[in-house]
Amino acid sequence: MTPVIFSSTSRLWLLRTPNTSYALRLDADDTPRHLHWGPPLTLAQAEQLSAGQPLRVSSFEGPGVGGAELPTDGGASYGVPSLQVRFADGTQAVEWQLMDDRIEGGELEIRLRDRHYPFECVLHYRVYADSDVIERWVTLRHTGTDAPIALLRTDSGCWHLPSRPDYRLTHVAGGWGHEFQLRRAPVPVAETVLTSRRGTTSHHANPWVMVDAGDATEDGGEVWSAALAWSGSWRVTVARDALGHVGWTGGFGHDGISWRLRPSEEWRTPVLAGLYSPGGFGATSRQWHEYARRHVLPRPEEVRPIVYNSWEATGFDVNEDNQKRLAGMAAALGVEMFVVDDGWFGARSSDHAGLGDWTVNPRRFPNGLGPLIAEVHRLGMRFGIWVEPEMVNPDSDLYREHPDWVLHMANRRRTTLRNQLVLNFARPDVAEWAHKWLDRLLTDYQIDFLKWDMNRAFSEAGWPDRGDDAVWLWVDHVRNVYATMDRLRADHPNLRIESCSGGGGRADFGILARTDEVWTSDNTDALDRIAIQYGYSHLYPAQTMAAWVTDTPNWLTERSVSLRFRFLVAMAGVLGIGGNLTHWTPEELRLAADMVTLYKEIRPVVQHGAQYRLAPPDAALTGVQYLAGDRSVVFVWRRTVPFEHPAVPLRLRGLDPAGAYRDEETGAVHLGAVLMAQGVLPELSEDHSGVVIRLSRV
Ligand code: GLA
């Protein structure tokens, strides 16, 4: 199948993915306009679409309404512009002229230039033979020699939906400790902005949207979705007008920041990828997971190791002795990677001081990290360590030496959050300094894993030396973080990185292209985690979702649930352990060792299988199923079942209805058709209990 076709007679491009098509055409005035995003079409069918009746609009509206692939200011268009520029003479409208197009395999570039001003724009599209995800981004170029061009908004693309009787928006919202809470509501006839103005992806919203016609379920119905590969400020505006038009535009940056493009400078937006699926929210998520594996993650085939992390056990009080003790106990459970969290460096004995002084604290580790790492290796585990390279405490040698290295503005206070300030990573000297100490740390010690944290949002995001151009830091900070990670990975090929930002504040396809997993949330309460993991799973695969078993009562919610239940929830992602093992009873340690063994057995299915959400996270009985080849692993969790309200069985998905499946635990054989039609209803007599069912096809 040719992935991209151009018809010169109808000035139309057709993009084809395995199960969908996307079509656009060039208007008489050279504006690329959207035609189709949905089920597969042939070129002839797309041409017929193109020749069809144009939208009937009154003369009060004019013909320019809706549908531009990259809406701009200009003419009678009043929707949300994806591209908004201002030329030196104050003109703030664009008129395009096609230069040419370039098709290479699955890539299409449509090259446009302004009819008058020295300004070029390339619309980029990429399709793959193994995914229905379509990637879009834009490059802009100043081709003149004098005044700069103001870039007021530079989105990666605008996506339009076909006419349907109604529309519904699905997204996630939340905050620290309650990330990824799924929301679903009708799309209002208005402009709905999902955004982060924090300089980072944020806990509060995540850069993806799903829109359906109000009738999609987990198992069926058309869903259109998009995800932005960017870890800084961002904005996606979903617009629905009274004429029935619905679409969204999205990209990096947020309202109120703009850039100046100088002669011969080029501007490239991050990828905003889109996906159409007729298979409901479940299939939509599975397609995004598959896309992440095939086109985003650096090491998708890896079986993720079981991590022990000392944060909830020892807090800032890490030292050689207590870490060795925990390491010994973790190894005995079958843990594969031992991670020392915050507190190992500088004067860091609380979150008030030391951040930025990345030298090993000699009181805590009198002989450096060497002896601990040697012990961890002797125990057969790999070693990891916590770092927060983008931050500094005012009470640190680094800050005393370089007070100008932080984001700040003249005549304004420097707001601290968690007692820290943000280092200006857009500064080449700061990025270079960070790379240097990280590289030395990884060279001096055998470290296989960095938990790269980023614990606060930007404030007073200025760079006084740069005047008007300080605003570039919103983008360059992120680019330099990416570049630092990329360089470290290239020079230390075994390195694994976890993206942490006070929990799940930096999870997106931009950071996932250079990290292996995300610390999903600082909230490790198993009941709360069910909802967090449910929301997370809408875009990101389980193999990136780090989940620890910690102590009870939970430090955040003060809730106590059984150790088995805590394991059963964490085992639905990348299992880790974060409790204080020295306080666990012999029975608890035995149970933990058994659960670790069980996890090792099921993790190829959990981490690399297809995921099916079996019920909403707040259902009395809820759960998730993974399926890989002939094996399926089903987690069932009982929340709170009121008296005489029998729980609804969980119907399994994706099995062969004609097949038979053996329960690996009981040996009982069940028919695929029955498991899917009737479901499973394990006997769980207590609230906050669960079970894992392992099925193999016979
Ligand atoms: C953040 C992380 C935690 C822990 C602390 C250390 O909150 O999310 O897991 O690493 O920082 O200060």
Side-chain angles (χ1 to χ4, degrees):
M1 184 175 78
T2 319
V4 185
I5 318 174
F6 177 62
S7 152
S8 51
T9 41
S10 38
R11 305 218 303 168
L12 176 155
W13 293 272
L14 179 66
L15 301 162
R16 301 195 294 178
T17 73
N19 308 293
T20 74
S21 293
Y22 186 101
L24 63 147
R25 74 179 153 80
L26 216 53
D27 255 6
D29 68 356
D30 277 7
T31 302
R33 227 170 258 288
H34 182 73
L35 261 185
H36 169 78
W37 184 23
L41 292 183
T42 62
L43 186 62
Q45 290 162 342
E47 282 178 321
Q48 194 168 62
L49 249 185
S50 174
Q53 290 292 314
L55 209 63
R56 266 208 333 191
V57 285
S58 78
S59 62
F60 289 87
E61 283 289 357
V65 149
E69 284 287 290
L70 194 74
T72 57
D73 286 326
S77 58
Y78 304 99
V80 190
S82 299
L83 175 69
Q84 209 171 19
V85 300
R86 189 167 50 237
F87 301 104
D89 61 4
T91 292
Q92 194 176 314
V94 175
E95 292 182 6
W96 292 131
Q97 187 172 39
L98 179 73
M99 291 163 65
D100 57 25
D101 71 333
R102 197 180 295 163
I103 297 173
E104 234 181 83
E107 282 197 37
L108 165 66
E109 288 179 10
I110 301 176
R111 291 143 57 83
L112 307 161
R113 69 165 158 248
D114 188 87
R115 283 180 188 280
H116 177 81
Y117 294 93
F119 182 59
E120 286 178 10
C121 168
V122 185
L123 308 185
H124 299 262
Y125 299 79
R126 181 160 51 213
V127 292
Y128 296 104
D130 60 5
S131 172
D132 289 326
V133 170
I134 300 172
E135 295 177 344
R136 293 182 57 187
W137 68 100
V138 169
T139 47
L140 307 171
R141 199 169 302 121
H142 190 317
T143 53
T145 48
D146 18 271
I149 300 169
L151 303 178
L152 308 175
R153 179 169 182 149
T154 61
D155 282 356
S156 305
C158 184
W159 299 77
H160 303 276
L161 268 54
S163 291
R164 293 292 182 272
D166 204 357
Y167 298 94
R168 192 167 53 163
L169 172 65
T170 300
H171 64 109
V172 288
W176 176 79
H178 56 116
E179 300 88 335
F180 309 111
Q181 305 296 311
L182 196 84
R183 308 269 154 181
R184 186 163 288 153
V187 180
V189 181
E191 291 166 9
T192 306
V193 182
L194 309 178
T195 188
S196 160
R197 302 187 181 89
R198 294 167 189 261
T200 182
T201 324
S202 95
H203 302 79
H204 307 77
N206 200 261
W208 62 261
V209 286
M210 293 183 185
V211 174
D212 73 301
D215 55 1
T217 64
E218 271 302 291
D219 302 307
E222 292 181 299
V223 179
W224 293 263
S225 55
L228 182 71
W230 184 247
S231 314
S233 286
W234 58 273
R235 169 182 49 191
V236 176
T237 308
V238 181
R240 177 176 186 182
D241 67 22
L243 300 174
H245 174 257
V246 169
W248 60 74
T249 175
F252 61 0
H254 58 260
D255 288 333
I257 54 174
S258 58
W259 299 273
R260 285 195 303 175
L261 196 64
R262 296 212 168 70
S264 76
E265 275 178 351
E266 190 175 279
W267 184 252
R268 183 190 163 112
T269 75
V271 164
L272 177 64
L275 167 70
Y276 163 77
S277 167
F281 297 106
T284 297
S285 297
R286 285 187 291 282
Q287 287 238 28
W288 282 113
H289 299 170
E290 214 34 51
Y291 165 73
R293 288 179 185 129
R294 291 170 195 256
H295 303 291
V296 181
L297 295 173
R299 211 178 286 144
E301 69 296 338
E302 182 200 45
V303 174
R304 307 302 199 214
I306 299 175
V307 163
Y308 177 85
N309 179 299
S310 63
W311 173 243
E312 287 196 30
T314 42
F316 294 99
D317 290 328
V318 291
N319 60 50
E320 188 177 316
D321 288 345
N322 67 18
Q323 298 304 292
K324 275 185 175 167
R325 179 139 185 248
L326 287 168
M329 298 190 77
L333 300 182
V335 165
E336 297 154 313
M337 171 91 71
F338 184 83
V339 180
V340 173
D341 210 278
D342 201 348
W344 59 269
F345 53 89
R348 184 80 168 164
S349 54
S350 73
D351 61 14
H352 287 262
L355 209 50
D357 299 337
W358 298 101
T359 46
V360 180
N361 179 325
R363 271 188 309 103
R364 296 166 184 261
F365 297 92
N367 305 301
L369 294 171
L372 172 62
I373 297 178
E375 174 64 0
V376 166
H377 288 160
R378 190 190 67 78
L379 290 163
M381 297 183 291
R382 284 184 276 163
F383 182 79
I385 199 159
W386 180 93
V387 293
E388 195 177 3
E390 298 151 82
M391 297 290 158
V392 65
N393 284 123
D395 185 1
S396 66
D397 293 340
L398 183 75
Y399 187 69
R400 283 182 280 272
E401 207 177 315
H402 296 289
D404 52 328
W405 273 15
V406 297
L407 299 183
H408 67 285
M409 290 175 173
N411 311 311
R412 291 291 171 253
R413 63 175 71 93
R414 301 180 179 196
T415 304
T416 53
L417 289 170
R418 209 187 186 220
N419 307 303
Q420 61 197 55
L421 295 166
V422 183
L423 287 173
N424 181 357
F425 239 68
R427 288 178 65 120
D429 50 357
V430 170
E432 202 44 49
W433 161 85
H435 174 264
K436 204 159 151 205
W437 72 257
L438 283 161
D439 185 60
R440 178 158 330 124
L441 185 69
L442 297 174
T443 308
D444 288 354
Y445 294 110
Q446 257 193 55
I447 294 177
D448 295 303
F449 178 87
L450 290 179
K451 175 177 174 182
W452 183 307
D453 211 337
M454 202 277 191
N455 271 315
R456 61 155 292 180
F458 291 11
S459 65
E460 294 89 27
W463 183 355
D465 296 350
R466 287 293 164 112
D468 275 358
D469 282 338
V471 76
W472 281 75
L473 70 84
W474 291 96
V475 164
D476 285 345
H477 182 108
V478 180
R479 287 190 175 142
N480 283 346
V481 168
Y482 287 172
T484 308
M485 287 183 174
D486 291 345
R487 200 167 152 199
L488 291 172
R489 288 193 83 115
D491 295 342
H492 305 275
N494 291 327
L495 181 66
R496 313 180 70 256
I497 306 181
E498 177 175 65
S499 170
C500 177
S501 179
R506 189 152 67 183
D508 55 77
F509 284 139
I511 206 75
L512 280 171
R514 58 258 311 156
T515 56
D516 302 284
E517 61 196 49
V518 170
W519 176 229
T520 323
S521 178
D522 279 348
N523 183 346
T524 51
D525 176 293
L527 271 186
D528 283 6
R529 270 292 173 121
I530 292 175
I532 292 171
Q533 296 181 179
Y534 180 84
Y536 185 89
S537 76
H538 275 70
L539 248 279
Y540 310 114
Q543 72 193 110
T544 64
M545 188 178 75
W548 308 339
V549 173
T550 59
D551 293 332
T552 53
N554 184 271
W555 74 282
L556 201 59
T557 64
E558 293 183 7
R559 191 169 13 228
S560 294
V561 296
S562 75
L563 184 61
R564 179 181 296 277
F565 185 67
R566 281 174 269 152
F567 264 100
L568 286 173
V569 174
M571 283 159 69
V574 178
L575 175 68
I577 298 180
N580 190 342
L581 299 177
T582 64
H583 295 163
W584 290 20
T585 64
E587 297 79 66
E588 286 177 323
L589 291 170
R590 254 196 308 278
L591 174 64
D594 289 348
M595 297 305 264
V596 165
T597 307
L598 176 61
Y599 182 71
K600 286 181 181 166
E601 203 257 314
I602 59 175
R603 73 179 155 184
V605 183
V606 172
Q607 295 180 8
H608 298 137
Q611 181 177 358
Y612 297 83
R613 292 178 292 263
L614 300 179
D618 52 356
L621 201 67
T622 184
V624 60
Q625 177 192 357
Y626 298 91
L627 182 67
D630 286 343
R631 292 192 70 198
S632 189
V633 171
V634 185
F635 293 92
V636 181
W637 304 302
R638 172 177 157 156
R639 298 185 69 103
T640 306
V641 181
F643 180 64
E644 287 295 13
H645 286 68
V648 180
L650 299 181
R651 284 179 301 113
L652 301 194
R653 315 290 216 270
L655 303 177
D656 177 359
Y661 295 82
R662 175 176 292 111
D663 183 322
E664 290 176 20
E665 178 116 17
T666 64
V669 174
H670 305 281
L671 299 176
V674 175
L675 289 170
M676 291 198 291
Q678 186 183 301
V680 296
L681 186 58
E683 237 177 83
L684 294 170
S685 49
E686 277 175 35
D687 286 350
H688 312 162
S689 61
V691 69
V692 55
I693 305 169
R694 289 167 293 150
L695 299 168
S696 315
R697 197 176 164 154
V698 290

